[in-house]
Amino acid sequence: MAVKVGILGSGNIGTDLMYKILRSPSLELALVAGIDPQSEGLARARAMGIPTSTESIDAVLADRGIQIVFDATSAKAHLRHAPLLKEAGKIAIDLTPASVGDPVVPVVNLNAGLPPDNISLITCGAQATVPMVYALSRVAEVDYAEIVATVASKSAGPGTRANIDEFTQATAASLERVGGAKRGKALIILNPAEPPIMMTNTIYALMPEADEAAVVKSVQEMVAEVQRYVPGYKLKVPPLVEPSPTGEGKMVTIMIEVEGAGDYLPKYAGNLDIITSAAVRVAEKLVEERLVVS
Amino acid sequence: MATNHQNITLVDVSLRDGSHAVRHQFTSEQVGRVAAALASAKVPVFEVTHGDGLGGSSLQFGLSKEPELDWIQTAVRQAGGSRVSVLLLPGVGTRKELKRAHEIGASVVRVATHCTEADISPQHIAMAKELGMTVCGFLMMAHMVPPAELAKQARIMEEAGADVVYVVDSAGAMLPHEARDRVRALRDALSCEVGFHGHNNLGLGVANTLAAMEEGATWLDGSLCGLGAGAGNTQFEVLVAVLDRLGVETGVDLYAIMDAAEEVVKPLLPRPIVIDRDALVIGYAGVYSTFLLHARRAAEKFGVEPRDILIELGRRKTVGGQEDQIIQVAYELAHRSSVAQGR
């Protein structure tokens, strides 16, 4: 028996997540709830025999058996959903940049004690870059970390597009709070090229003292750890350690490409995989730690 | 000419696009001098921000020498009857920075997206309208899509509340008929005003701007001495003189704007703004003009040819903001040639 879970939102992220949950032995997908009856995500769920609804949050709340709810709607919608889910005694795993609960990036703080009822997965950009910032900050002080997440236009749905400020702000905050940088900044670029480009992330860090060998080793180890749940996560260029343009200390540049598993959108959309894989990992951890199978 | 060119609004971008050319190293003192000169020449609108807009100061694009709010505040103090504009690229800057810029006196904003991504701009456009600002939608790299597609994107910005939507030739890649076709498509699809922002990489800055005006563009950009990314922008003082010859009323004082270019901006030029081979390749390959100096630096660092980097960036269909790709391409080119040499 597995723990019953539901997905709110049937866009790119919700649909990709559906495939990943179906592969998890400890999770049972009891409902995919959206709002648009024409949505491709809902059609795919129905075709696989998964219960669906266009009643969104109401349908999720009505199903008392659902213990974990993945919210893949929008930041604005999650602000409304969060208190309702809490009141209903359901744990929310938030894939929007609403930043209601404490932020979690599995390779960094999964084992540090998960937040009680609302877990923020921040953004795909944060899931892809925070591990690298953390890999640096565990070696030496990071005064400033800046990340550039570039994603294919086709992989950024309407929710992401309407929440672009929330995306950059939540990502920047997580570079500090989870990544350990003193100051963080995030940029997002959408590229419409055909065929679509792979998700790429560039991480820049200013470090007063950085030992090149230690930096490279820590980064490579962290890449290997992320690969355990996102196999398509790889270094494009070996970490560059150069004098900082500020004239003091070093600047480290790391370039990461994230190739997706191709569950819903093709492999270019690694930005979906990095956050949906994190979501499943967190849910499985919750099941291990605190949920009694009903 | 047959067309009635009333209500042309000229916008100077020396202190914004020009920021690229000086690697974002303007001082407030320099900003103040340029702003005062623009104001005394009665330029209706001029723009002041990091080249990549509010929040643009970064390792990706180059760190600003001074906080952006200091530049904007200084410009506002010197602006006289001119209005101060700021640039905002959603994904780089946010509504928070825009609000602050407005509080200290910026009254015009250009909300810029890649030409296919207009739907990341409505929140910012709507907020700026609520603040009472004049809002221009700015469709960058507009050479990359056909006119009809560009017009669809422009509609999104108009519906969000934009007062003007621009055809932005960020790569300086358009030929006059291409500028003309795009402006006409927007003119036909929109009821708001249409603007044109040109770069001079193919030597067509002024010519394209005239073609755009003939099709009904009423907001026209340029910069003094052409100070801007790539081979620079449409040269503002030249545009003013040409429009004067055409009998188009701009309200700008011709002698005063020539003096501003010659005496105030020319001494600030770090290098002559000319169409050298790298800038020409940018226009030819249709690459974001801002990549010029970044590509030169990467070429030097990795020992490769800047033109090879730029052509490859064009082939990969990179868009504005992808400066990190320059490092990746340079690395790959260097690696490829060293592998070849090893054999």
Side-chain angles (χ1 to χ4, degrees):
Chain A
M1 285 290 281
V3 165
K4 279 190 165 186
V5 303
I7 298 175
L8 256 177
S10 60
N12 287 344
I13 293 177
T15 310
D16 190 76
L17 178 62
M18 172 173 83
Y19 291 94
K20 293 192 167 57
I21 292 174
L22 292 173
R23 286 201 291 268
S24 171
S26 54
L27 307 176
E28 180 194 335
L29 185 53
L31 179 68
V32 178
I35 44 170
D36 176 9
Q38 308 298 322
S39 128
E40 189 189 337
L42 290 182
R44 285 185 179 223
R46 276 194 300 270
M48 287 188 291
I50 299 162
T52 64
S53 168
T54 53
E55 300 293 311
S56 187
I57 182 74
D58 293 340
V60 169
L61 295 172
D63 188 334
R64 300 178 64 94
I66 293 176
Q67 298 194 59
I68 300 174
V69 178
F70 297 92
D71 194 336
T73 56
S74 69
K76 208 171 159 189
H78 185 68
L79 292 177
R80 197 158 39 79
H81 299 156
L84 299 171
L85 292 169
K86 185 174 177 176
E87 200 180 314
K90 300 181 192 300
I91 301 175
I93 297 180
D94 176 19
L95 293 87
T96 80
S99 304
V100 173
D102 286 340
V104 172
V105 175
V107 286
V108 179
N109 61 354
L110 186 68
N111 296 320
L114 287 169
D117 48 51
N118 192 309
I119 297 152
S120 167
L121 294 180
I122 325 158
T123 63
C124 62
Q127 292 295 335
T129 60
V130 167
M132 292 297 107
V133 175
Y134 180 74
L136 298 176
S137 72
R138 71 183 175 183
V139 172
E141 224 165 63
V142 175
D143 279 347
Y144 173 71
E146 175 183 312
I147 70 99
V148 186
T150 306
V151 304
S153 296
K154 274 192 179 162
S155 69
T160 305
R161 289 165 179 274
N163 290 156
I164 198 150
D165 283 3
E166 288 80 357
F167 184 104
T168 52
Q169 283 157 353
T171 307
S174 74
L175 301 175
E176 300 168 8
R177 206 165 153 196
V178 189
K182 284 191 195 150
R183 207 157 55 81
K185 181 176 179 69
L187 312 173
I188 178 168
I189 312 282
L190 303 177
N191 181 316
E194 287 292 341
I197 57 153
M198 292 276 173
M199 182 205 201
T200 54
N201 302 277
T202 299
I203 298 101
Y204 301 101
L206 297 181
M207 305 175 72
E209 290 167 43
D211 173 62
E212 182 159 357
V215 161
V216 172
K217 182 167 177 280
S218 178
V219 165
Q220 284 170 343
E221 284 170 2
M222 184 55 83
V223 168
E225 253 185 86
V226 179
Q227 282 171 344
R228 283 165 52 190
Y229 70 106
V230 185
Y233 187 88
K234 51 183 175 270
L235 276 174
K236 280 296 279 181
V237 175
L240 300 169
V241 182
E242 306 164 274
S244 163
T246 61
E248 286 165 40
K250 300 277 177 60
M251 176 169 86
V252 179
T253 306
I254 301 169
M255 294 187 171
I256 295 284
E257 181 178 277
V258 188
E259 180 180 334
D263 284 330
Y264 172 45
L265 292 184
K267 292 186 173 188
Y268 62 78
N271 45 316
L272 303 184
D273 291 74
I274 192 105
I275 192 164
T276 54
S277 300
V280 170
R281 187 117 194 250
V282 166
E284 287 173 342
K285 181 80 175 171
L286 283 170
V287 172
E288 265 170 48
E289 275 184 1
R290 40 176 125 131
L291 296 176
V292 182
V293 172
S294 48
Chain B
M1 282 193 302
T3 332
N4 181 4
H5 298 305
Q6 275 176 352
N7 301 318
I8 292 289
T9 303
L10 293 185
V11 182
D12 177 89
V13 296
S14 306
L15 294 171
R16 199 281 300 163
D17 221 315
S19 176
H20 290 300
V22 301
R23 295 181 177 177
H24 320 293
Q25 299 300 300
F26 280 135
T27 63
S28 289
E29 193 267 327
Q30 292 169 337
V31 167
R33 267 191 289 140
V34 175
L38 290 166
S40 71
K42 299 190 174 60
V43 173
V45 180
F46 66 89
E47 189 157 80
V48 185
T49 343
H50 182 285
D52 297 276
L54 295 168
S57 177
S58 57
L59 296 170
Q60 171 85 344
F61 301 135
L63 297 168
S64 299
K65 190 180 179 82
E66 293 183 12
E68 61 192 10
L69 293 181
D70 291 0
W71 288 342
I72 297 165
Q73 197 142 44
T74 306
V76 168
R77 284 201 194 107
Q78 300 295 333
S82 305
R83 300 173 71 194
V84 173
S85 170
V86 291
L87 176 73
L88 173 70
L89 277 68
V92 176
T94 67
R95 284 167 285 170
K96 210 165 91 186
E97 283 98 34
L98 178 58
K99 207 161 172 212
R100 269 192 238 129
H102 171 259
E103 278 163 11
I104 60 170
S107 62
V108 180
V109 60
R110 283 107 65 93
V111 181
T113 74
H114 184 69
C115 56
T116 54
E117 311 299 317
D119 62 354
I120 59 172
S121 68
Q123 282 182 309
H124 309 82
I125 291 175
M127 191 193 83
K129 286 310 294 176
E130 266 169 42
L131 294 173
M133 300 178 86
T134 298
V135 184
C136 306
F138 218 57
L139 290 167
M140 301 188 291
M141 299 289 277
H143 71 286
M144 288 177 85
V145 288
E149 168 62 15
L150 193 68
K152 264 191 224 159
Q153 296 287 321
R155 284 282 299 157
I156 297 172
M157 289 176 156
E158 182 182 39
E159 276 167 23
D163 302 292
V164 186
V165 182
Y166 265 76
V167 174
V168 181
D169 184 15
S170 317
M174 281 185 204
L175 304 180
H177 71 278
E178 293 168 326
R180 196 180 283 284
D181 291 349
R182 283 166 179 74
V183 170
R184 188 188 306 133
L186 263 60
R187 194 52 294 134
D188 290 347
L190 307 179
S191 45
C192 70
E193 289 187 74
V194 176
F196 184 79
H197 173 100
H199 278 269
N200 206 37
N201 302 329
L202 295 177
L204 293 169
V206 172
N208 285 348
T209 305
L210 285 191
M213 185 185 72
E214 284 172 14
E215 292 298 334
T218 46
W219 281 57
L220 306 174
D221 285 15
S223 65
L224 297 176
C225 303
L227 187 69
N233 293 93
T234 304
Q235 200 168 335
F236 193 86
E237 65 279 17
V238 176
L239 181 63
V240 171
V242 168
L243 293 178
D244 183 74
R245 283 282 310 277
L246 284 169
V248 176
E249 184 54 51
T250 66
V252 178
D253 180 329
L254 179 58
Y255 265 35
I257 201 69
M258 287 175 175
D259 292 345
E262 190 81 18
E263 291 163 19
V264 184
V265 169
K266 201 172 160 198
L268 299 179
L269 301 186
R271 61 193 166 92
I273 303 285
V274 294
I275 309 170
D276 56 23
R277 59 192 172 188
D278 297 339
L280 179 54
V281 156
I282 284 185
Y284 175 76
V287 179
Y288 202 54
S289 294
T290 311
F291 288 179
L292 178 70
L293 298 182
H294 292 270
R296 280 198 189 140
R297 276 202 295 279
E300 200 178 316
K301 192 188 291 180
F302 291 94
V304 296
E305 162 69 43
R307 281 175 292 182
D308 290 344
I309 301 177
L310 293 165
I311 293 278
E312 178 61 16
L313 289 165
R315 201 188 59 78
R316 294 187 187 187
K317 299 197 173 70
T318 48
V319 303
Q322 286 191 276
E323 273 77 347
D324 50 338
Q325 277 294 303
I326 298 172
I327 302 170
Q328 191 173 316
V329 166
Y331 170 83
E332 287 172 12
L333 288 173
H335 190 69
R336 200 179 297 163
S337 55
S338 67
V339 168
Q341 279 158 19
R343 284 172 191 165

